[in-house]
Amino acid sequence: MATITPRKDQDGNIIGYQAQVRKRGHPTQTKTFRSKRDAEAWSRLIESEMERGLWRDRSESEGTTLAQCIERYLSEVTSQKKNSRPETLKLQQWLRRPIACRFMSAIRGRDVAEVIKDMEGEGKAGNTIRLHLAVLSHLFKVAKTEWGMEAISNPVESVRKPRLPQGRERRLVGNEEERLLESCRQDENPDIIYIVRFAIETAMRRAEICGLRWENVNLPGRVALLPATKNGTVRRVPLSSIAVSVLSALPRRLDGLVWDAKPDTVTRSFERACRRAAIDGLTFHDLRHEATSRMFEKGLNPMQVAAITGHKTLQMLKRYTHLRAEDLAKMLG
């Protein structure tokens, strides 16, 4: 049975009501409310849930703020990841928002929806907002399954996510590839010509190319091993004959790296090459799109291409693939 007890100040004035629910087989539940009506409603809810076997202990979630959970998540989850910085930055932004002061049990979908509006007002892209929401969603999952907050619901699951933009459709057209490679040969960075050719052949990301080590390259077997990738999985990339010829032409470095280039250096060199070649609207990451599309045009199926590129879902792979209608027509015969 529930007991409702008035709470008084030192002058005897009622300042609230304490509700206490005792039921055999369950720990005593106590909570204080401003009004007697709220205390009675809460008591009826707890008693009903206990009788139906649906009750879950809310004390942990009712006494823990989102900010406290973020700090714990950073310590126990994020810190264990190989590349924790991107997630850390996202969680730090959540910490600075007013929602971080709310108790976990009190956060609803509408609270998250308001943050989404704020992010859109800040100029964040739809995919960026989705990444922020993904981190928050996983935090709630961990809190529910591992931190004793079984009663909470995940508010991220109930909100409408921003729509993803269409994947970039920029591919090399006309004689752009020849012009780009010739311009790369003229660049002050001697590695850029090899890196660009290698990117077009392998669909590897910029950071994956720059971090490639000779110890992970098997030229006779025509395979490059990527032990640390963006999605955290090990990947073995098959090398075309052109990719093998690119690597075979390189000298071996004492530090074990294949290239003497940092990701930012590659971007700057690539942008210079595009300007010299009068190529507009092309980014280094577009070479990954180009390579992925060429693999399909060579007849590889989606599972084969995904194994090479490292895409975990066919939906993401589709966004990176833009097949030329002219090439598809040739395949039709």
Side-chain angles (χ1 to χ4, degrees):
M1 293 294 294
T3 302
I4 309 296
T5 306
R7 307 296 290 179
K8 301 179 180 180
D9 61 17
Q10 57 186 356
D11 297 323
N13 299 314
I14 296 177
I15 58 174
Y17 294 85
Q18 183 186 73
Q20 191 173 76
V21 177
R22 292 189 181 92
K23 191 171 183 62
R24 186 186 298 273
H26 297 279
T28 300
Q29 296 299 298
T30 304
K31 192 173 182 180
T32 301
F33 299 87
R34 288 187 175 276
S35 71
K36 186 176 182 179
R37 177 181 298 177
D38 290 342
E40 292 172 340
W42 177 83
S43 300
R44 286 194 297 271
L45 174 64
I46 298 301
E47 288 178 330
S48 174
E49 289 181 350
M50 287 179 173
E51 290 172 358
R52 292 179 294 155
L54 301 177
W55 178 83
R56 296 291 183 273
D57 190 355
R58 293 177 171 83
S59 57
E60 190 73 25
S61 60
E62 289 177 346
T64 307
T65 64
L66 174 58
Q68 291 171 314
C69 284
I70 290 175
E71 295 291 356
R72 183 175 179 180
Y73 189 92
L74 283 166
S75 174
E76 298 182 9
V77 181
T78 305
S79 63
Q80 303 304 312
K81 299 184 177 180
K82 288 184 178 180
N83 183 15
S84 62
R85 180 170 172 75
E87 185 169 279
T88 298
L89 293 175
K90 294 181 180 66
L91 289 169
Q92 287 173 345
Q93 289 192 39
W94 279 109
L95 274 174
R96 292 193 291 268
R97 297 185 183 279
I99 193 174
C101 299
R102 303 283 298 278
F103 289 111
M104 292 290 285
S105 61
I107 298 176
R108 299 290 181 265
R110 65 183 180 185
D111 302 312
V112 177
E114 289 178 3
V115 176
I116 293 175
K117 291 181 180 179
D118 291 340
M119 289 183 175
E120 291 173 338
E122 295 162 5
K124 283 184 171 59
N127 191 53
T128 300
I129 296 174
R130 279 175 166 262
L131 293 175
H132 281 258
L133 293 175
V135 174
L136 183 67
S137 179
H138 190 253
L139 181 149
F140 269 85
K141 180 180 179 181
V142 171
K144 183 169 185 172
T145 58
E146 300 180 21
W147 296 346
M149 302 185 192
E150 294 86 354
I152 63 172
S153 58
N154 189 339
V156 180
E157 295 177 351
S158 63
V159 299
R160 180 172 52 85
K161 315 300 189 298
R163 297 182 63 179
L164 284 175
Q166 294 293 321
R168 281 176 61 85
E169 298 184 5
R170 185 65 164 94
R171 290 193 60 182
L172 294 167
V173 296
N175 66 345
E176 283 187 338
E177 183 173 352
E178 291 78 9
R179 287 157 48 202
L180 175 63
L181 294 176
E182 180 57 34
S183 180
C184 287
R185 290 188 183 93
Q186 303 170 23
D187 196 77
E188 62 191 55
N189 179 0
D191 280 337
I192 191 62
I193 175 64
Y194 300 107
I195 290 174
V196 168
R197 291 181 65 200
F198 193 73
I200 294 174
E201 289 298 315
T202 63
M204 286 168 59
R205 299 178 178 91
R206 182 188 61 169
E208 293 170 346
I209 294 175
C210 292
L212 188 63
R213 301 183 64 84
W214 281 115
E215 64 194 60
N216 295 323
V217 176
N218 181 354
L219 286 179
R222 294 174 52 175
V223 172
L225 174 68
L226 303 180
T229 63
K230 180 181 179 181
N231 56 29
T233 58
V234 176
R235 192 164 91 251
R236 290 165 54 85
V237 179
L239 303 176
S240 67
S241 57
I242 294 178
V244 170
S245 68
V246 169
L247 293 176
S248 299
L250 298 174
R252 298 298 179 104
R253 292 169 47 81
L254 294 177
D255 61 7
L257 289 170
V258 173
W259 330 89
D260 180 21
K262 297 290 189 295
D264 290 343
T265 304
V266 169
T267 297
R268 289 193 293 270
S269 298
F270 185 81
E271 291 173 348
R272 287 197 302 267
C274 287
R275 286 196 296 270
R276 278 193 302 269
I279 298 176
D280 297 324
L282 185 71
T283 67
F284 187 85
H285 196 70
D286 288 332
L287 301 184
R288 179 165 161 85
H289 296 238
E290 180 69 29
T292 303
S293 297
R294 290 187 183 189
M295 290 175 189
F296 278 108
E297 290 165 354
K298 290 178 179 178
L300 275 67
N301 64 46
M303 295 302 295
Q304 291 171 326
V305 175
I308 297 173
T309 62
H311 290 102
K312 285 195 169 183
T313 67
L314 295 182
Q315 183 63 30
M316 286 302 299
L317 182 59
K318 180 180 177 182
R319 295 182 70 242
Y320 271 78
T321 307
H322 300 93
L323 306 180
R324 295 189 181 96
E326 294 82 358
D327 293 322
L328 293 176
K330 292 177 183 178
M331 295 174 66
L332 293 174

